[in-house]
Amino acid sequence: MNTLPTSQTELVEGTAVDLDEVMATMHLAFDPAFGEAWTRSQCAGIMGLGGVWLLLARRDGQAAGFALSRGVLDEAELLLLAVQPDHRRFGIGRMLLDAVANEARSRGATRLHLEMRDGNPAAILYERAGFHEIGRRKRYYRGHDGSSFDAITLACRL
Ligand SMILES: CC(C)(COP(=O)(O)OP(=O)(O)OC[C@H]1O[C@@H](n2cnc3c(N)ncnc32)[C@H](O)[C@@H]1OP(=O)(O)O)[C@@H](O)C(=O)NCCC(=O)NCCS
């Protein structure tokens, strides 16, 4: 992990007014080659639904990443996790993931699941956090050049 002892990361709860910050990180974090990023209207739509919560990560006061999640009864889903390239490998992704798991637990969830493109290096982060593969959707993601990529569903007991 990179270390810059002077840097401070804080996690704050976000709302729909933070959509600009979410979209700025979305554009920087997701490579259009893989078709994983959400549009602004997809984000705005889901943020209006019950059980959805947004966590923003700020590093030295600057937008660094976010996690968008949803809880329904005893199941929670991590919908999106993103950290801007300049802020990666400082532990922010793991910090967001742990905070999502804690919040999901406190909302009564017993399992957290997520969908990830096959081949995404984020798999290492998720494996280390206790996730395992429970399913696969063939050709779920479509990149900007038309190529398609499987989605892997991962889950972790809370
Ligand atoms: C995946 C992502 C959120 C990780 O964020 P991050 O802040 O860099 O993650 P962390 O620093 O907390 O990483 C924790 C550990 O996960 C593993 N890891 C994270 N990113 C990795 C990578 N690209 N390659 C290999 N291992 C990785 C490492 O074990 C790392 O520990 P280390 O740095 O001590 O080796 C970030 O790379 C990202 O935004 N990617 C694009 C969006 C995306 O694919 N999101 C996930 C799918 S929804």
Side-chain angles (χ1 to χ4, degrees), residues 1 29-30 81-83 88-91 93-94 120 124 128:
M1 188 193 289
F30 287 99
L81 176 70
V83 174
R88 286 186 190 162
R89 305 304 285 270
F90 290 105
R94 180 62 194 252
N120 190 329
I124 298 166
R128 281 189 162 190

Side-chain angles (χ1 to χ4, degrees), residues 1-9 59-60 86-91:
M1 188 193 289
N2 294 322
T3 47
L4 272 183
T6 53
S7 295
Q8 290 257 346
T9 302
R59 194 153 156 258
D60 292 338
D86 286 352
H87 298 291
R88 286 186 190 162
R89 305 304 285 270
F90 290 105

